[in-house]
């Protein structure tokens, strides 16, 4: 195995991971290329399967590769998308007919698409009911979508709206609510947005989330929750989103004044 004197004190799996990182950064392994298999690496580096698997785990943590179930690991084709919270929900995007995800993808230079998984009524679970200030079990409108960037699934989001708000806006029951998305439709019907509040945490993906986003087992995700409050002081939509953590950089602008 090619090593330098500075690598001699590192565990072997870190030496393998570092060597692969250098191959990726040096374009020896180019974007889209398949990374050598476990068997190939075991032979090349005279390493055990366990050592090579630990090297792959280190390499996945760098965000430089993605593992596709049953197909192997590949060098990622694109850098993470920078999501600017101060920009993505600007009213100017909505009036231009662009929903937040489309505006964001356009800025990143990727091709976005969306698959609508469900639109319809559900009984509000406890957490959603609390955020919408409705009784637990009350009927609310749910809109669940899976978003893609250049054909790769990157996030799944579910919006929940109070039924008394949603029932008067027929577009909200359509798979495509029209230009500017659901926020544009809410504002057209008098629910002008005043503030959006987001909470972000990172955790390991569940089995369902691994399958939905084609992630490697044990991958981290960003779990983002958002409440949209109208100028009347009412929360008119809440959204739960889970995102492939290596696909996004979240950027927040925070005023420092009084």
């Amino acid at each position: 195995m090619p090593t330098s004197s500075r690598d001699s004190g590192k565990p072997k799996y870190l030496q393998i991971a570092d060597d692969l990182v250098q191959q990726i950064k040096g374009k020896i392994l180019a974007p889209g290329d398949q990374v050598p298999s476990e068997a190939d690496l075991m032979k090349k580096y005279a390493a055990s399967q366990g050592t090579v698997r630990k090297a792959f785990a280190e390499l996945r943590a760098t965000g430089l590769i993605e593992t596709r179930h049953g197909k192997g690991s590949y060098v990622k084709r694109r850098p993470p998308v920078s999501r600017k919270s101060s920009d993505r929900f600007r009213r100017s995007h909505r009036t231009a007919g662009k929903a937040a995800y489309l505006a964001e993808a356009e800025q990143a230079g990727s091709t976005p698409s969306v698959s609508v998984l469900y639109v319809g009524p559900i009984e509000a679970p406890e957490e959603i009911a609390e955020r919408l200030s409705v009784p637990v079990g009350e009927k609310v409108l749910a809109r669940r979508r899976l978003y893609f960037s250049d054909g790769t699934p990157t996030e799944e989001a579910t919006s929940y709206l109070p039924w008394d708000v949603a029932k008067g806006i027929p577009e909200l029951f359509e798979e495509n609510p029209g230009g500017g998305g659901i926020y544009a439709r809410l504002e057209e019907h008098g629910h002008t947005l005043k503030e959006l509040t987001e909470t972000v945490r990172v955790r390991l993906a569940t089995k369902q989330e691994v399958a939905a986003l084609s992630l490697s087992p044990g991958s981290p995700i960003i779990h983002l929750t958002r409440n949209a409050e109208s100028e009347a002081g009412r929360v008119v939509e809440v959204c739960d989103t889970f995102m492939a953590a290596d696909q996004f950089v979240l950027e927040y602008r925070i005023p420092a004044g009084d």
Side-chain angles (χ1 to χ4, degrees):
M1 168 183 169
T3 60
S4 65
S5 58
R6 69 178 181 178
D7 290 329
S8 59
K10 288 185 178 181
K12 195 163 192 176
Y13 74 92
L14 287 180
Q15 294 179 34
I16 297 172
D18 286 350
D19 191 30
L20 291 170
V21 167
Q22 293 307 311
Q23 291 182 50
I24 292 170
K25 290 184 175 180
K27 306 298 183 183
I28 298 170
L29 288 170
D33 282 356
Q34 185 169 7
V35 178
S37 67
E38 286 184 3
D40 289 339
L41 293 177
M42 288 167 63
K43 182 178 180 179
K44 177 178 180 180
Y45 295 98
S48 68
Q49 185 180 53
T51 296
V52 169
R53 286 185 173 177
K54 289 177 71 175
F56 267 115
E58 288 292 322
L59 193 57
R60 281 194 293 270
T62 67
L64 295 174
I65 69 167
E66 57 187 355
T67 300
R68 303 170 190 170
H69 183 67
K71 295 183 179 180
S73 296
Y74 295 79
V75 180
K76 287 188 176 176
R77 293 182 180 275
R78 61 184 181 280
V81 172
S82 181
R83 169 171 284 187
K84 300 181 179 181
S85 66
S86 59
D87 177 77
R88 68 188 311 260
F89 292 115
R90 286 167 51 191
R91 184 167 286 112
S92 60
H93 291 322
R94 297 195 291 279
T95 56
K98 298 176 184 177
Y101 185 79
L102 297 179
E104 182 177 84
E106 183 181 271
Q107 291 172 355
S110 61
T111 302
S113 59
V114 58
S115 175
V116 178
L117 305 178
Y118 177 78
V119 178
I122 67 163
E123 295 181 355
E126 183 175 359
E127 184 204 357
I128 298 303
E130 182 178 351
R131 288 162 63 192
L132 287 174
S133 298
V134 301
V136 175
E138 180 167 305
K139 183 165 63 173
V140 297
L141 175 64
R143 296 181 52 88
R144 183 175 170 220
R145 299 90 64 201
L146 182 61
Y147 293 97
F148 299 80
S149 179
D150 294 332
T152 299
T154 57
E155 61 181 281
E156 184 176 306
T158 305
S159 291
Y160 305 89
L161 300 97
W163 193 258
D164 66 302
V165 170
K167 68 181 182 181
I169 308 176
E171 296 93 339
L172 296 182
F173 293 82
E174 301 292 334
E175 287 194 1
N176 182 355
I182 63 174
Y183 288 164
R185 303 292 82 75
L186 285 167
E187 293 200 315
E188 287 171 357
H189 286 77
H191 304 285
T192 303
L193 299 180
K194 178 185 72 174
E195 182 177 75
L196 296 106
T197 304
E198 291 186 339
T199 301
V200 180
R201 64 189 176 103
V202 177
R203 57 174 173 79
L204 297 182
T206 64
K207 288 183 178 180
Q208 185 270 330
E209 292 160 350
V210 164
L213 299 182
S214 300
L215 300 174
S216 304
S219 294
I221 62 163
I222 297 169
H223 185 177
L224 185 149
T225 60
R226 182 174 64 252
N227 292 0
E229 183 180 341
S230 72
E231 289 184 345
R234 182 179 184 184
V235 175
V236 293
E237 182 254 7
V238 300
C239 186
D240 276 6
T241 303
F242 61 87
M243 311 155 66
D246 60 350
Q247 297 290 328
F248 295 92
V249 174
L250 304 184
E251 181 178 325
Y252 292 88
R253 186 174 62 189
I254 303 170
D258 294 335

